[in-house]
Amino acid sequence: SLPAKLINGGIAGLIGVTCVFPIDLAKTRLQNQQNGQRMYSSLSDCLIKTIRSEGYFGMYRGAAVNLTLVTPEKAIKLAANDFFRHHLSKDGKKLTLLREMLAGCGAGTCQVIVTTPMEMLKIQLQDAGRIAAQKKLMAAQAQLSSSPAAAAAEPTVETRTTATQITKELLRSKGIAGLYKGLGATLLRDVPFSIVYFPLFANLNKLGQKDPNVKAPFYVSFLSGCVAGSTAAVAVNPCDVIKTRLQSLQRGVNEDTYSGILDCTKKIWQREGPTAFFKGAYCRALVIAPLFGIAQVVYFIGIAEFLLDMLPKRRA
């Protein structure tokens, strides 16, 4: 049933995000840093520096936004894919690859209603620590070069903002459109991702089914979700880099600003080279693989059905 699908998708999203959020934070920071202004050299370097400067919970900056909105986001994505697969099937016959891709396309298009504002707010909170650390480092270097004694001056204190403050400011200054900055880039990432992910997962999962009418074992669904998720994540990483850059409201010192998708693509290619489009690709694969592996296990086991069955049933 639709309620069960929505509950399953929501539970899957909550569990997955809680497990992999620190890696997602590192991915955002690695993607946003530009040549000449690098704070982090790798995933481990980013996480270590984040813990040292912001504490353990610094790795979960922006997690509240994700945990709040990931339930409707994952629920829409998974339920929409099932909805389109059902309506694209003919008399219960097996879907062709093209129809599976069309169903994924529909799911990816539907989810951006929630994904765009969620990613927009999350990125501001995740990247705030990097920008603050960069400004603090450059201020210390400037003081040290001008006067060694000035280096011991009072350090710069980071003013932390919340998702609520950012939302209010965007709504006040730009209206609802402010929360949907980067919508085109989000579509450019999520639609191809779903086109690759859902057909690949469905076909990998079928390999573990001994009987077409019996669900595959949970570990097959998990591994299928991991493989399909990481493959799709790496395939669309260039679009994710562009989306992350466009949705960042604050920039580090001497970092580029962008007017749109084409301008962002051109500047990254010219100033950072083609390899810049794959910044954070392995982080994204590490995030997406377990996230979708867990999501598919929860979704296919059907926790919601169990919970709904536990509710008191009306007497006839």
Side-chain angles (χ1 to χ4, degrees):
S1 64
L2 182 59
K5 290 177 181 178
L6 296 178
I7 294 171
N8 280 332
I11 294 171
L14 288 171
I15 295 172
V17 167
T18 302
C19 293
V20 301
F21 193 85
I23 304 174
D24 186 62
L25 179 136
K27 186 260 321 175
T28 296
R29 294 188 176 186
L30 288 169
Q31 286 183 339
N32 261 339
Q33 64 179 6
Q34 300 178 20
N35 288 340
Q37 304 294 337
R38 293 179 178 272
M39 290 293 301
Y40 316 107
S41 59
S42 64
L43 166 64
S44 58
D45 182 55
C46 180
L47 293 178
I48 290 170
K49 287 180 178 177
T50 298
I51 293 172
R52 285 177 179 172
S53 62
E54 302 169 55
Y56 174 78
F57 290 104
M59 295 190 298
Y60 282 88
R61 292 183 70 170
V65 175
N66 251 37
L67 291 173
T68 302
L69 296 179
V70 75
T71 298
E73 189 257 355
K74 283 289 177 288
I76 290 170
K77 188 185 188 82
L78 295 172
N81 180 66
D82 273 2
F83 173 82
F84 287 115
R85 287 178 69 91
H86 173 72
H87 285 279
L88 286 169
S89 63
K90 291 183 176 180
D91 301 324
K93 292 181 180 178
K94 180 181 177 182
L95 284 173
T96 63
L97 179 59
L98 177 60
R99 287 176 179 269
E100 288 183 329
M101 293 171 72
L102 285 173
C105 178
T109 304
C110 290
Q111 78 170 82
V112 297
I113 298 169
V114 176
T115 303
T116 305
M118 179 181 75
E119 292 273 310
M120 175 75 175
L121 295 171
K122 182 194 73 171
I123 286 170
Q124 314 318 312
L125 298 171
Q126 284 184 329
D127 206 37
R130 179 188 71 89
I131 295 171
Q134 186 191 88
K135 289 179 179 178
K136 185 177 179 181
L137 178 63
M138 294 194 73
Q141 290 174 343
Q143 289 175 349
L144 190 61
S145 61
S146 60
S147 171
E154 186 178 344
T156 304
V157 178
E158 179 194 352
T159 303
R160 294 200 174 191
T161 56
T162 65
T164 304
Q165 291 172 327
I166 296 170
T167 302
K168 287 181 178 179
E169 178 58 28
L170 285 171
L171 290 174
R172 185 191 64 79
S173 60
K174 299 181 181 179
I176 192 69
L179 291 173
Y180 281 87
K181 182 181 179 183
L183 173 62
T186 306
L187 279 168
L188 196 63
R189 181 198 69 172
D190 288 348
V191 172
F193 178 92
S194 295
I195 289 173
V196 173
Y197 172 78
F198 282 111
L200 183 56
F201 169 78
N203 286 283
L204 288 174
N205 197 55
K206 283 177 185 176
L207 296 177
Q209 289 180 275
K210 295 180 179 179
D211 187 325
N213 298 317
V214 179
K215 289 182 180 179
F218 78 92
Y219 61 87
V220 173
S221 293
F222 176 77
L223 291 174
S224 299
C226 289
V227 173
S230 57
T231 301
V234 173
V236 302
N237 197 76
C239 300
D240 189 56
V241 171
I242 294 168
K243 182 200 73 67
T244 301
R245 296 280 182 95
L246 288 174
Q247 288 188 318
S248 297
L249 298 177
Q250 294 184 0
R251 304 287 176 187
V253 181
N254 300 323
E255 290 185 343
D256 290 327
T257 56
Y258 312 103
S259 60
I261 295 173
L262 293 178
D263 179 57
C264 182
T265 305
K266 182 180 178 181
K267 285 180 178 177
I268 293 174
W269 183 278
Q270 291 178 343
R271 300 175 188 181
E272 301 175 58
T275 56
F277 290 105
F278 286 93
K279 283 183 177 180
Y282 66 96
C283 293
R284 184 161 162 76
L286 288 175
V287 169
I288 296 296
L291 181 62
F292 277 84
I294 293 167
Q296 292 294 359
V297 168
V298 173
Y299 194 65
F300 276 85
I301 285 177
I303 289 178
E305 285 85 346
F306 174 76
L307 294 175
L308 291 173
D309 286 341
M310 292 292 289
L311 293 174
K313 295 182 180 179
R314 293 181 180 179
R315 293 182 179 180

